[in-house]
């Protein structure tokens, strides 16, 4: 069965960087579009960045120029490099895979990880 396990979250000061990591299993790397989402406290979950099977990336306006999504199909790993972090970036971040319908940031994903916390002070 499909599993997505995130790591790399933590606490950082504003202006700092973190790199999130998602280890995927249960499917061959490159089979599905993948994405990072986040849910700030008391807010709805939002798409942050999506990478499709061809490697095309899409970003939320709030993170463009600061975050970079990438993947290693051989290892079946997904990454999110987050630079110039702001307090507004504080959230639980989730890895997702397999766009069931929609496109880009509007994809409805079928598989989800448990999340990793990012706190920016």
């Amino acid at each position: 069965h499909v599993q997505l396990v995130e790591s790399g979250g933590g606490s950082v000061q504003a202006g700092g960087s973190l790199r999130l990591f998602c280890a995927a299993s249960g499917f061959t790397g490159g089979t599905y579009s993948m994405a990072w989402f986040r849910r700030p406290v008391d807010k709805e979950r939002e798409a942050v960045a999506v990478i499709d099977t061809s490697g095309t990336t899409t970003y939320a306006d709030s993170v463009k120029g600061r975050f970079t999504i990438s993947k290693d199909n051989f290892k079946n790993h997904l990454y999110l490099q987050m630079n110039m972090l702001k307090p507004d970036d504080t959230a639980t971040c989730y890895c997702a895979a397999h766009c069931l319908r929609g496109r880009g940031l509007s994809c409805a994903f079928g598989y989800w990880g448990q999340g990793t916390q990012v706190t920016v002070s």
Side-chain angles (χ1 to χ4, degrees):
H1 67 286
V2 173
Q3 278 194 311
L4 303 173
V5 180
E6 305 96 336
S7 61
S11 297
V12 65
Q13 290 188 331
S17 299
L18 284 173
R19 191 183 195 213
L20 302 185
F21 169 74
C22 174
S25 60
F27 62 94
T28 301
T31 300
Y32 298 135
S33 293
M34 299 187 74
W36 288 99
F37 282 72
R38 66 184 180 186
R39 175 155 40 205
V41 174
D42 296 330
K43 293 184 179 180
E44 293 187 357
R45 186 174 62 196
E46 60 180 3
V48 173
V50 177
I51 185 165
D52 68 15
T53 55
S54 68
T56 300
T57 58
T58 308
Y59 295 93
D61 287 344
S62 59
V63 306
K64 281 180 182 176
R66 301 189 297 124
F67 290 11
T68 303
I69 188 172
S70 60
K71 63 178 179 172
D72 183 327
N73 287 338
F74 180 75
K75 295 180 179 179
N76 210 1
H77 292 168
L78 182 72
Y79 308 96
L80 185 68
Q81 179 66 42
M82 305 184 294
N83 298 328
M84 295 181 287
L85 283 162
K86 307 173 183 179
D88 283 350
D89 294 319
T90 296
T92 303
C93 295
Y94 300 89
C95 173
H98 191 18
C99 179
L100 299 174
R101 57 186 180 278
R103 295 182 63 183
L105 297 176
S106 299
C107 270
F109 285 88
Y111 301 115
W112 294 87
Q114 293 300 306
T116 184
Q117 179 66 34
V118 170
T119 302
V120 185
S121 59

